[in-house]
Every structure is written in structure tokens, then in C-alpha cells.
Amino acid sequence: MHRLLSVVALSLSVSCADTGEIYVPDGPPPPQEEVIGVAPYPGAVRIGGYWGWEGGRHVWHDGRWERGRAGYSWEPHRWERRGNRWALRSGRWRRR
């Protein structure tokens, strides 16, 4: 029963909104260093790695290269403190 209550409490502490934000009780660790290298093709845009939230813990997602989108720029993932929780705002392509 105690384990069930812990699972319910954790599920209530993590919520998703239509804004692409995830709320969790703990902030992320410092970013990991990544070897970026040379762009694989002209116009490639580097999408940096970030700490996501999976299975009740922070998990590092490696960066990657994507094709650039005309008229858009990449807005990276970011964690923001919101009261006693942390919110992950997902990265996205944003019109310039």
C-alpha cells in the first residue's frame, strides 16, 4: 500500500501541459559536455543535448544535427524553477 501511495504522489508531482512543459520536483544536473564536430552537410543546425525526465529521474538526451528551416531558428530545451518545482520547456523551431 505504501508503494502505491508513493507512485500516486510521484505521478501527481509530474504533470504535462499543452505548452510542452513537464513539471518535476528536482532541478537537472549540470549539462554534459558534448563533442560537436563539423556539420554533416550545408545548412545543418546543431540541436544541443538536454536533461529530460523519464522514469522519475533526469536522463541525458544527446544533441543532434537537423536540417535548418527557412525563416525559423531553434529555441533550445530549458529548465525553469517554478516555486518548489522545475519545469522543462521543450525545444522547438520558432519563426524569426
Side-chain angles (χ1 to χ4, degrees):
M1 181 67 168
H2 185 267
R3 182 179 167 100
L4 175 61
L5 291 175
S6 296
V7 170
V8 170
L10 179 61
S11 67
L12 292 175
S13 70
V14 177
S15 62
C16 297
D18 291 338
T19 60
E21 293 181 350
I22 297 171
Y23 294 91
V24 301
D26 302 311
Q32 291 190 5
E33 287 190 36
E34 295 184 291
V35 176
I36 295 174
V38 178
Y41 47 83
V45 173
R46 178 69 185 173
I47 308 297
Y50 69 97
W51 287 103
W53 184 261
E54 296 173 21
R57 65 187 182 94
H58 291 283
V59 176
W60 182 254
H61 293 264
D62 290 331
R64 63 190 187 280
W65 291 97
E66 282 194 14
R67 295 205 178 277
R69 298 181 183 181
Y72 289 81
S73 59
W74 177 255
E75 186 176 280
H77 294 76
R78 68 180 185 274
W79 284 96
E80 299 173 346
R81 188 167 186 80
R82 304 269 174 88
N84 62 353
R85 300 183 301 173
W86 286 83
L88 172 61
R89 178 138 177 110
S90 297
R92 63 187 177 133
W93 289 99
R94 183 179 192 109
R95 186 174 287 282
R96 291 183 213 161

